[in-house]
Amino acid sequence: FEMYGYDFEATDRVAKELRAELMKVKGVSEVRISRSDYQPEIQVDFDREKLARHGLNLSTAATYLRNRINGSVMSYYREDGDEYNIRVRYDRQFRESLEDIANITIYNQMGQGIKIRDVGQVKEASTTPDITRKDRERYVTISGTVGAGYALSDLVEQTKVEMAKIPMPQGFMWQIGGT
């Protein structure tokens, strides 16, 4: 089944309901939702006023922070015709937790060190999963495997009955897809 809709939360909710209903249908197994899980991430929301008071701007602060965490290429190492980046960054133990990120020091043009916590808020969030589109519409697929001895047409009809039980949010639609 292909389910079309814009709202991630509503799509996730309906996809999980449909998955649960499909798992009840005899002859259907390995029911999957195509959308990947949300991944945790650390976000820093910089306060532009605080940055300005410390002689920084958003671009400079973000670049300093990115270089401390991801590293920046400072030189190259060449051996046997191959070239390798030499990347300098904070050691893993100093960049793993929210507190570690908040304690990272960045410098303004006067050489003054400012902690991230003094110019922004560090928080944990989740990244949105991959967005898949078809005909310019966001969609997610809910699919399963047809068991041996079962007719696909019968399972599709049973699934349509189950699908009718699930209230669809306004602006959402579904259709049968796959092979």
Side-chain angles (χ1 to χ4, degrees):
F1 285 86
E2 295 173 348
M3 186 172 36
Y4 296 84
Y6 187 79
D7 183 351
F8 278 116
E9 289 180 26
T11 306
D12 289 343
R13 179 182 49 77
V14 174
K16 287 176 183 171
E17 287 179 35
L18 177 57
R19 180 177 183 263
E21 292 300 322
L22 282 175
M23 290 173 63
K24 295 176 187 175
V25 175
K26 191 173 181 182
V28 177
S29 63
E30 299 179 32
V31 180
R32 297 171 301 282
I33 299 173
S34 65
R35 183 175 291 159
S36 60
D37 291 333
Y38 292 80
Q39 296 295 316
E41 72 177 5
I42 294 175
Q43 291 180 347
V44 178
D45 291 333
F46 287 108
D47 183 321
R48 292 174 191 259
E49 288 181 26
K50 289 179 181 178
L51 286 170
R53 276 189 254 141
H54 289 287
L56 294 164
N57 61 39
L58 185 59
S59 176
T60 303
T63 300
Y64 267 112
L65 182 58
R66 184 191 70 231
N67 290 343
R68 301 295 190 275
I69 295 171
N70 296 337
S72 59
V73 177
M74 301 304 285
S75 187
Y76 302 95
Y77 171 72
R78 291 180 185 86
E79 181 180 288
D80 298 330
D82 292 326
E83 186 173 274
Y84 304 94
N85 294 338
I86 296 175
R87 188 172 295 275
V88 178
R89 65 181 175 180
Y90 274 23
D91 190 27
R92 182 175 303 279
Q93 67 182 353
F94 300 112
R95 55 185 167 91
E96 287 190 321
S97 70
L98 295 176
E99 187 176 334
D100 293 340
I101 303 300
N103 285 325
I104 289 177
T105 303
I106 58 178
Y107 295 90
N108 62 15
Q109 291 180 341
M110 287 82 68
Q112 298 168 321
I114 298 108
K115 300 283 186 190
I116 293 294
R117 70 171 171 261
D118 295 333
V119 291
Q121 179 185 8
V122 181
K123 61 184 179 181
E124 193 167 347
S126 296
T127 61
T128 55
D130 297 335
I131 297 173
T132 53
R133 295 179 190 275
K134 187 174 186 180
D135 298 328
R136 302 173 123 186
E137 294 285 332
R138 287 184 186 178
Y139 81 105
V140 62
T141 59
I142 301 91
S143 60
T145 303
V146 176
Y150 292 94
L152 177 60
S153 59
D154 292 341
L155 294 177
V156 167
E157 290 306 316
Q158 288 178 18
T159 306
K160 283 182 180 179
V161 169
E162 297 303 323
M163 196 61 185
K165 296 177 185 176
I166 299 172
M168 286 297 240
Q170 187 172 352
F172 279 67
M173 63 173 250
W174 62 271
Q175 68 183 28
I176 296 174
T179 56

